Amino acid sequence: MSNLPSEPEFEQAYKELASTLENSSLFEKNPEYKKALQIAAIPERVIQFRVVWENDKGEVQVNRGFRVQYNSALGPYKGGLRLHPTVNLSVLKFLGFEQVFKNALTGLNMGGGKGGADFDPKGKSDNEIRRFCVSFMRELNKHIGADTDVPAGDIGVGGREVGYLFGTYRAEKNKWEGVLTGKGGSWGGSLIRPEATGYGLVYYVQHMIQYASGGKESFAGKRVTISGSGNVAQYAALKVIELGGTVVSLSDSKGALIATDEKGITPELIDVIADLKLQRKQLTELASSSEYGNKFKWIEGARPWKHCGNVDVALPSATQNEVSGDEAEALIAAGTKFVAEGSNMGCTQEAIDIFEKTRKEKKNQAVWYAPGKAANAGGVAVSGLEMAQNSQRIKWTSEEVDQKLKDIMKNCFENGLETAKEYVTPAEGEFPSLVAGSNIAGFKKVAAAMHDQGDWW
């Protein structure tokens, strides 16, 4: 890949996967999989286009739009659309590459892809966002479809944006089909979809806690530090509270909100934060609030990992590379036993190496790390369930969807656990490597499907 421009985010994601495969017995037992990795690392298709739209002043604006259709061996391309100034091809290739193996771990028939634009929705009016979405979908509609590529929301793309995108697709194609997930509940959306990534993350960690404690412990009584304040963080926090844990932090790009009383961050405060985020406002709005100011401290420009005191569980749920090496050391020093990514590639490679080294050295007293491709697969899993409901023209109850989500996260955990035991045999008393097991399990499934379909031989 030396003839390509530098793509640091993608290269990090590729090396993280490749290194775990190389340090397992997979290539020793199946040397032909080396060629499969080389092929799977290249997207099947990359689409780039301009997005021309008009702001409220009547001025013409232009952004870059992308769709990376990475791998369709297991089903239609599936993955979110991100609207953020940092969006570029490297970021979307990293996200799409991760999505391929994450989707494989759900057990559903979904390939992997990712897309978006370097458009910043912050500070834009509803009309400006609508005009951008219409222009974006007028090009994207040529390349997607219910059996081809089914995008969803991601950073900057919520229910409002999905509505504008879906309406434009329907008008352009003159047909109603389940081409986007995260739709409104009255027009094809699935119940539990907004909650799914956060809920699924907590369900996954619940299995980690139960396995590590021999079934004796749960979230009850655990102190949990969470970063982010969007959908994933909000619903993870609410589920932790429901299961008896105490949430001690949330954050955004401006800083960290740290609880100062024993109750931690309450559901009422999370409702206030959810309203702020709908208005695209920052958590700093709470810093000067007389109503909440005595219940937390605000740390400007910080992430929460070094500021929460002793914690049992850490859930990075904001964006990529949000736990550095020194923050990983701080979490270990604070007594953290479980780290699971609600965000994609939430930990730097240095942080992962520290967690994995500690796992080996301290055996069952160590921190246990779970990668995003396994721990945050709940969102795309329920997107897959939304696709199934759309195909059948039916709607499942919240209880039905939640139970299916629980089953998927249980299988995701057990698949990574058992695969790790098979290909990276843990030492006596050592927790299996969930990062290695999840990487190998997801890769094996995709590579086998590619082989059966003649993509490599």
Side-chain angles (χ1 to χ4, degrees):
M1 298 184 188
S2 60
N3 63 321
L4 297 176
S6 175
E7 296 178 329
E9 293 87 359
F10 168 67
E11 289 161 18
Q12 180 185 341
Y14 174 82
K15 287 173 184 174
E16 190 262 314
L17 179 88
S19 65
T20 55
L21 301 182
E22 290 162 357
N23 291 323
S24 73
S25 60
L26 178 69
F27 290 156
E28 181 184 332
K29 294 177 180 178
N30 306 95
E32 67 276 13
Y33 276 145
K34 288 185 179 180
K35 179 58 68 174
L37 174 60
Q38 183 182 350
I39 294 168
I42 300 173
E44 291 175 7
R45 190 175 299 107
V46 175
I47 300 152
Q48 295 182 234
F49 51 94
R50 68 186 179 208
V51 185
V52 181
W53 57 282
E54 189 178 276
N55 67 17
D56 287 342
K57 297 177 182 178
E59 298 165 339
V60 173
Q61 307 291 309
V62 63
N63 289 95
R64 289 176 172 84
F66 304 88
R67 187 66 179 172
V68 178
Q69 297 178 330
Y70 226 107
N71 194 296
S72 58
L74 294 178
Y77 307 107
K78 186 82 194 80
L81 295 170
R82 175 173 294 193
L83 300 181
H84 196 273
T86 60
V87 164
N88 58 37
L89 196 52
S90 174
V91 168
L92 294 179
K93 282 181 66 178
F94 128 60
L95 291 167
F97 188 67
E98 289 274 294
Q99 197 78 49
V100 171
F101 307 109
K102 178 192 299 187
N103 292 0
L105 289 170
T106 68
L108 302 174
N109 291 121
M110 299 183 293
K114 207 75 178 184
D118 57 358
F119 170 81
D120 188 357
K122 287 182 180 176
K124 303 293 192 300
S125 70
D126 277 358
N127 268 328
E128 287 175 324
I129 289 171
R130 179 182 56 80
R131 286 192 289 266
F132 172 85
C133 289
V134 168
S135 181
F136 182 85
M137 182 53 79
R138 279 181 176 161
E139 178 59 33
L140 186 64
N141 83 86
K142 303 169 187 173
H143 311 287
I144 63 175
D147 297 313
T148 304
D149 184 352
V150 183
D154 193 73
I155 293 172
V157 178
R160 172 182 55 178
E161 289 77 16
V162 169
Y164 295 151
L165 292 165
F166 185 84
T168 306
Y169 181 90
R170 181 173 52 80
E172 291 286 321
K173 294 291 191 181
N174 192 29
K175 61 180 172 182
W176 195 108
E177 60 178 340
V179 71
L180 286 154
T181 55
K183 297 186 290 299
S186 63
W187 46 278
S190 175
L191 295 168
I192 308 291
R193 177 59 192 93
E195 301 92 334
T197 308
Y199 280 12
L201 172 65
V202 175
Y203 294 153
Y204 187 98
V205 176
Q206 183 89 321
H207 290 296
M208 294 173 70
I209 294 170
Q210 290 171 346
Y211 181 91
S213 66
K216 297 176 183 176
E217 296 180 19
S218 69
F219 266 101
K222 297 284 189 292
R223 283 173 56 85
V224 183
T225 174
I226 301 176
S227 67
S229 49
N231 262 15
V232 180
Q234 290 170 28
Y235 287 114
L238 289 170
K239 184 57 70 171
V240 166
I241 294 166
E242 180 187 321
L243 295 176
T246 301
V247 176
V248 298
S249 71
L250 290 171
S251 69
D252 64 14
S253 59
K254 299 294 185 183
L257 198 67
I258 312 296
T260 53
D261 63 25
E262 60 183 22
K263 289 183 181 178
I265 290 174
T266 63
E268 292 74 24
L269 183 58
I270 294 168
D271 285 343
V272 172
I273 290 170
D275 286 339
L276 279 179
K277 291 300 166 181
L278 280 176
Q279 299 170 49
R280 300 192 181 276
K281 294 181 179 179
Q282 301 285 341
L283 293 182
T284 48
E285 297 277 332
L286 293 175
S288 56
S289 164
S290 57
E291 186 175 356
Y292 300 103
N294 63 343
K295 297 180 180 179
F296 63 85
K297 61 182 176 181
W298 172 255
I299 304 178
E300 188 76 23
R303 296 184 289 230
W305 317 123
K306 294 181 178 182
H307 305 284
C308 296
N310 291 336
V311 292
D312 302 293
V313 181
L315 304 177
S317 302
T319 189
Q320 66 262 24
N321 291 329
E322 55 173 315
V323 181
S324 64
D326 64 314
E327 288 169 322
E329 298 278 14
L331 285 170
I332 293 168
T336 307
K337 296 299 182 187
F338 305 96
V339 177
E341 293 176 336
S343 54
N344 294 307
M345 206 165 72
C347 299
T348 64
Q349 188 60 54
E350 184 184 6
I352 296 170
D353 291 343
I354 289 168
F355 292 142
E356 287 290 277
K357 182 173 181 284
T358 307
R359 177 185 61 81
K360 293 177 182 178
E361 290 175 349
K362 294 189 177 179
K363 303 291 192 288
N364 58 11
Q365 297 303 308
V367 66
W368 201 12
Y369 161 76
K373 64 170 60 70
N376 71 34
V380 75
V382 174
S383 279
L385 299 178
E386 183 175 326
M387 290 166 65
Q389 291 170 80
N390 290 168
S391 294
Q392 298 174 73
R393 298 291 197 271
I394 60 173
K395 190 175 184 67
W396 294 323
T397 65
S398 294
E399 292 76 16
E400 287 175 304
V401 177
D402 196 36
Q403 186 56 55
K404 291 176 190 293
L405 173 61
K406 288 176 179 176
D407 292 342
I408 288 169
M409 298 315 295
K410 180 175 184 284
N411 293 336
C412 200
F413 171 76
E414 291 178 347
N415 190 5
L417 188 78
E418 296 306 318
T419 303
K421 290 178 181 177
E422 180 179 354
Y423 290 97
V424 193
T425 308
E428 185 69 29
E430 181 182 292
F431 293 139
S433 171
L434 292 174
V435 62
S438 301
N439 281 339
I440 296 164
F443 172 76
K444 270 188 66 185
K445 184 172 183 180
V446 173
M450 291 171 64
H451 177 270
D452 291 348
Q453 295 168 33
D455 289 346
W456 64 277
W457 52 93

